[in-house]
Amino acid sequence: MQDNKALDLLNQIYNSTTILNFGALFSDVTPMFVNPAEPKKGDDVTIRFRTARSNVDRVVLIMEDICIPMKLQESNDVFDYYYTVIKNVHEPIKYHFEVFSGRLSVIYNRLGILRDVNRDYDFKIVPGFKTPDWAKGAVMYQIFVDRFCNGDKSNDVLTGEYSYVGQQVQRVDNWDQLPSEMDVRNFYGGDLQGVINKLDYLKSLGVDVIYFNPIFVSPSNHKYDIQDYDYIDPHFGKIVNDGGDLLPEWSNDNSQATRYINRVTNRENLEASNELFIHLVEEAHRRGIRVILDGVFNHCGSFNKWLDKEHIYDKNPSYKKGAYVSADSPYRSFFKFSDENAWPDNGSYNGWWGHDTLPKLNYEESKKLHDYIIRIGRKWVSPPYNCDGWRLDVAADLGYTEEYNHRFWRDFRKAVKDANPEAIILAEHYGDPKAWLQGDQWDTIMNYGAFMEPITWFLTGVEKHSDEFRGDLIGNADAFRGSIRNYMSYFMYNSLYVAMNELSNHDHSRFLTRTNHRVGRIHTLGAEAANENLNFSLMRAAVVFQMTWPGAPTIYYGDEAGVCGWTDPDSRRTYPWGHENKEMIKFHKDIIRIHKKYKAILTGSLKFLHGENRLIAYGRFNETEAIAVVINNDFVEKRVRLHVRQLGVRNGRTMRRIMLTGEDGYVMNDEPTSVHNNVLQVVMPKMSAAIYVCKI
């Protein structure tokens, strides 16, 4: 995996009096090379750069247009460390390095060694920007509540309870039934009591954080069309007052759905559901597990009390008139209407991507809406709820303009962090997130570009929706490194190390299904086809990558138990209680223990070690630990030479292989291998992954 200008650099070496050791050159923004790594405003910041011992003439830090010669700070038998101190840092600083050896000079930035300066890839430090320490490397677990565990059958959605998207909702009595093509109105009964019942299981798995898909009042099973932001849905919580009738079989008029109306508007049910959620968070915290909520603030739902298209709230004097019902509604400014003369029942509101079930919220023209959602952001991270943060749905599209989006998220961050300084704010985002990761808006993102997509292409050749197959990307080490290195450069250290690293989630196909190398969806091949031709060795290799890569490894519920599925809705299958893949669960427990044991994995530096057809190797290291990870995606055994001296492993030391996965499973037999001539030579079986560790 050579850099583009590598040949030019090699040519210059022959004209230099010193052979520059490229592998030794290193710096990043982890605590080993920046102190403090997350400075407060006014702090002095020490920045370090590593070279091979007695190998360079000088190192210069270039900040804006200022060249700062770095001093030799310390040396050992392997490396020299150069440093400089930036005094009294109040504003963001951007910098790169220039290294001189004889007549040769090279640039070093977030992409590594380059011939020419590219300021877009400078390192960056923002004083005052800190992400929660608890989230760095935290093991997260995503729960789609309706499909996780049914702990209270009395709150189940009933068949015919109300109508959604033109048809009456259905309760699915068979927990193991696979989702249907039109699944949004089918309910399996998973709820918060079910999560409470399984907290000990999550603790035994090694989970640090639960991320819930939306749990507020909503008519759909996914609940991304929120009806009331102030309350947990009683179908997930508690129904203590259950009066009213189901819809007549022939009706889709929800004004007649009196049982549903009572369940979701009765204050007794709403308050009891919030109380159950308080209990859940307390029980999770007691086990050392934090809780993150899904914030869907770009749009709400057509059932929402602010709009009330379904006339759920219209006849209840405790609620104000919705903007669909009345032109005089106090919520009229919350939505854009194209026809100002269509009331009552004005259906001309703007829907998200044209969906009338998802009314887009109109922040730019409603200070009241802005203040309401800011209050919601603060409310759920404050006592008595005490949640630990927010995942923000389609966050970059919140308003009608990007300028407003940035302004809103600055306000949101201030409100949330004032209420709970340890709360995390992470956003769903595709593409370049830099504009939102400047320390004043989001903490981090769901990590598609620098995690899910590159490893999916490398191991399976299948796009994350299982909509495309690219044989040229399977095992393409150059494409993998180029893509993942580029996207990683969008992050500052503190955002990258808390990024949500998922193999699967509710919007995409299950990773285990992607290992079948097939293109398909539930309506093209059928649900059963998602279970066929699976490759568990690829799944294990992917999890090894997930648990050793920078960021917060996030398990989509059931991935650890062997759940398959095409993309939404098939990826939302129920957790297979009673027929889990127990070997896969045991593997997850073991690899999570490894993940948590080594600080080099949680917060250490990253260095690529090797890449060839169908094989990649990389290292994680800090001052005291070195970890080498090798993934062989080939159908043949491979012998690999790893230059682990780049990680600080000295000649003659022993590295212990603590895990090896393969076609038949995995072993943890602590096998020692000595380093000779600064190289660790390993034999990788076909379709395998290995982890080697060493104390430096």
Side-chain angles (χ1 to χ4, degrees):
M1 293 187 286
Q2 298 277 342
D3 292 316
N4 291 336
K5 300 290 182 78
L7 290 178
D8 290 341
L9 293 175
L10 290 172
N11 288 334
Q12 290 191 47
I13 290 174
Y14 293 109
N15 298 317
S16 172
T17 56
T18 304
I19 297 178
L20 184 57
N21 186 331
F22 287 95
L25 303 182
F26 192 84
S27 187
D28 60 17
V29 197
T30 64
M32 185 173 176
F33 292 94
V34 174
N35 184 31
E38 297 176 287
K40 299 175 183 177
K41 290 189 176 183
D43 280 352
D44 296 345
V45 179
T46 300
I47 300 173
R48 303 209 305 168
F49 188 86
R50 190 191 77 180
T51 73
R53 182 178 174 91
S54 303
N55 186 238
V56 307
D57 297 326
R58 58 194 173 103
V59 180
V60 176
L61 183 144
I62 302 172
M63 186 173 65
E64 303 299 334
D65 294 322
I66 303 172
C67 296
I68 304 174
M70 302 185 74
K71 299 177 182 178
L72 182 63
Q73 181 186 41
E74 61 176 312
S75 301
N76 56 36
D77 57 330
V78 181
F79 300 121
D80 289 336
Y81 291 91
Y82 291 80
Y83 84 104
T84 191
V85 178
I86 310 299
K87 296 284 190 180
N88 195 24
V89 176
H90 279 88
E91 300 297 327
I93 58 174
K94 295 179 67 176
Y95 62 92
H96 61 269
F97 304 93
E98 189 165 5
V99 182
F100 296 86
S101 180
R103 287 173 290 181
L104 174 65
S105 69
V106 296
I107 301 298
Y108 194 96
N109 62 16
R110 282 192 286 181
L111 290 183
I113 301 167
L114 297 176
R115 180 68 182 89
D116 301 313
V117 174
N118 186 334
R119 292 291 175 84
D120 290 339
Y121 297 101
D122 275 8
F123 295 103
K124 186 172 184 179
I125 299 171
V126 176
F129 178 28
K130 178 171 176 53
T131 59
D133 288 337
W134 62 260
K136 294 179 176 72
V139 177
M140 299 187 181
Y141 192 88
Q142 179 183 350
I143 296 179
F144 191 90
V145 177
D146 183 61
R147 309 298 163 84
F148 183 63
C149 180
N150 189 342
D152 180 3
K153 293 188 180 297
S154 71
N155 63 14
D156 289 2
V157 172
L158 303 175
T159 296
E161 185 177 326
Y162 58 99
S163 177
Y164 185 75
V165 197
Q167 292 184 25
Q168 293 189 4
V169 297
Q170 302 290 315
R171 179 173 68 179
V172 179
D173 293 321
N174 177 9
W175 181 257
D176 298 321
Q177 178 178 309
L178 297 180
S180 62
E181 183 178 337
M182 181 56 180
D183 183 64
V184 69
R185 63 176 75 91
N186 294 335
F187 294 84
Y188 287 70
D191 50 34
L192 297 187
Q193 186 59 52
V195 176
I196 293 170
N197 295 348
K198 299 300 181 180
L199 285 175
D200 287 338
Y201 162 70
L202 298 179
K203 179 66 176 177
S204 72
L205 189 63
V207 170
D208 300 311
V209 185
I210 295 171
Y211 152 47
F212 282 115
N213 285 111
I215 58 176
F216 302 118
V217 182
S218 160
S220 65
N221 57 33
H222 58 68
K223 302 205 178 301
Y224 281 94
D225 48 353
I226 289 171
Q227 188 171 326
D228 190 335
Y229 289 92
D230 277 296
Y231 292 102
I232 304 300
D233 195 314
H235 297 96
F236 283 175
K238 283 285 186 184
I239 297 176
V240 295
N241 185 318
D242 205 13
D245 298 319
L246 303 179
L247 271 178
E249 290 184 8
W250 45 265
S251 177
N252 288 319
D253 178 3
N254 282 321
S255 67
Q256 301 179 55
T258 55
R259 190 156 187 181
Y260 177 75
I261 291 172
N262 181 64
R263 282 181 159 196
V264 300
T265 67
N266 187 294
R267 297 293 181 183
E268 291 182 80
N269 296 332
L270 296 172
E271 296 296 343
S273 297
N274 281 9
E275 287 296 323
L276 180 67
F277 180 69
I278 292 169
H279 175 63
L280 185 156
V281 175
E282 289 173 347
E283 286 297 306
H285 285 175
R286 188 168 65 83
R287 293 167 173 81
I289 299 174
R290 296 177 184 263
V291 176
I292 295 174
L293 294 177
D294 208 323
V296 189
F297 303 134
N298 165 72
H299 54 269
C300 62
S302 57
F303 281 59
N304 192 285
K305 63 185 180 184
W306 301 334
L307 188 71
D308 198 20
K309 183 180 180 182
E310 301 293 320
H311 295 271
I312 302 297
Y313 301 91
D314 190 24
K315 294 182 176 63
N316 191 328
S318 300
Y319 293 89
K320 298 173 182 177
K321 294 292 183 181
Y324 176 85
V325 175
S326 171
D328 298 323
S329 168
Y331 310 120
R332 177 174 170 176
S333 65
F334 288 21
F335 309 95
K336 273 186 179 291
F337 292 91
S338 59
D339 187 345
E340 294 294 327
N341 299 303
W343 280 281
D345 294 355
N346 189 341
S348 70
Y349 57 87
N350 186 20
W352 172 241
W353 285 86
H355 297 291
D356 66 355
T357 57
L358 303 175
K360 175 131 177 68
L361 293 170
N362 184 28
Y363 290 91
E364 283 90 340
E365 297 176 11
S366 182
K367 178 67 162 54
K368 183 178 178 181
L369 171 63
H370 167 281
D371 293 347
Y372 198 114
I373 295 298
I374 294 296
R375 180 184 67 79
I376 291 296
R378 184 187 301 113
K379 170 182 176 175
W380 291 98
V381 300
S382 302
Y385 306 104
N386 295 317
C387 289
D388 300 287
W390 289 97
R391 177 267 188 190
L392 306 173
D393 187 59
V394 290
D397 297 331
L398 177 104
Y400 283 95
T401 66
E402 186 171 317
E403 178 186 1
Y404 180 82
N405 292 342
H406 290 302
R407 187 162 72 248
F408 178 88
W409 292 125
R410 290 185 186 102
D411 293 346
F412 186 87
R413 180 183 185 84
K414 184 177 188 309
V416 169
K417 296 289 186 175
D418 284 350
N420 183 349
E422 285 297 295
I424 192 169
I425 300 172
L426 64 91
E428 176 191 28
H429 189 71
Y430 298 84
D432 186 347
K434 287 197 295 290
W436 286 272
L437 298 181
Q438 298 301 307
D440 58 346
Q441 296 170 69
W442 311 335
D443 284 321
T444 191
I445 61 171
M446 299 177 77
N447 196 2
Y448 292 111
F451 184 78
M452 182 190 283
E453 291 176 344
I455 195 60
T456 292
W457 288 120
F458 180 79
L459 288 178
T460 75
V462 177
E463 183 265 345
K464 60 184 178 294
H465 287 285
S466 293
D467 281 345
E468 181 185 7
F469 177 75
R470 291 280 305 273
D472 60 311
L473 292 180
I474 296 180
N476 188 327
D478 288 331
F480 170 84
R481 185 188 180 191
S483 174
I484 208 164
R485 189 176 63 161
N486 180 63
Y487 277 102
M488 286 178 70
S489 72
Y490 296 163
F491 295 81
M492 287 182 279
Y493 152 77
N494 37 17
S495 290
L496 180 64
Y497 280 63
V498 297
M500 184 180 278
N501 289 348
E502 294 187 291
L503 296 170
S504 319
N505 62 30
H506 63 292
D507 283 329
H508 304 95
S509 58
R510 294 273 183 171
F511 189 90
L512 186 54
T513 287
R514 281 177 238 151
T515 67
N516 66 12
H517 305 304
R518 296 182 71 182
V519 170
R521 290 201 175 206
I522 192 172
H523 66 278
T524 60
L525 298 181
E528 289 293 347
N531 306 331
E532 299 170 353
N533 303 314
L534 306 177
N535 188 324
F536 283 90
S537 61
L538 288 182
M539 182 72 187
R540 284 186 287 269
V543 177
V544 168
F545 179 74
Q546 181 183 41
M547 294 295 167
T548 57
W549 197 253
T554 304
I555 301 167
Y556 184 41
Y557 79 101
D559 267 10
E560 82 281 14
V563 174
C564 303
W566 303 115
T567 198
D568 164 30
D570 198 34
S571 59
R572 302 170 182 184
R573 299 182 182 187
T574 54
Y575 189 101
W577 300 110
H579 46 272
E580 309 93 326
N581 184 324
K582 290 184 169 54
E583 183 66 17
M584 187 62 74
I585 291 175
K586 182 177 182 299
F587 168 69
H588 273 81
K589 289 181 177 181
D590 285 337
I591 189 68
I592 288 171
R593 277 195 290 270
I594 291 172
H595 170 83
K596 291 185 172 187
K597 181 176 181 179
Y598 297 98
K599 289 186 177 180
I601 292 177
L602 298 176
T603 57
S605 298
L606 168 74
K607 199 166 197 324
F608 284 96
L609 294 176
H610 184 73
E612 61 183 71
N613 182 44
R614 289 185 173 265
L615 186 141
I616 54 173
Y618 54 91
R620 303 294 308 281
F621 66 97
N622 57 22
E623 294 93 334
T624 60
E625 297 172 343
I627 317 286
V629 182
V630 192
I631 297 175
N632 179 18
N633 187 23
D634 209 339
F635 298 104
V636 297
E637 178 182 282
K638 286 181 177 275
R639 295 180 179 272
V640 188
R641 293 166 51 87
L642 303 178
H643 291 268
V644 292
R645 189 179 181 89
Q646 300 177 61
L647 309 179
V649 180
R650 290 162 173 79
N651 205 32
R653 297 296 300 275
T654 296
M655 296 197 76
R656 300 179 294 110
R657 191 190 70 196
I658 58 173
M659 176 176 277
L660 175 67
T661 73
E663 291 186 302
D664 298 325
Y666 72 103
V667 294
M668 302 179 67
N669 55 3
D670 205 355
E671 180 176 302
T673 304
S674 296
V675 175
H676 296 293
N677 298 321
N678 303 315
V679 169
L680 178 72
Q681 296 194 57
V682 301
V683 177
M684 293 297 297
K686 60 182 179 178
M687 310 301 286
S688 64
I691 303 173
Y692 292 82
V693 303
C694 180
K695 291 290 184 183
I696 297 178

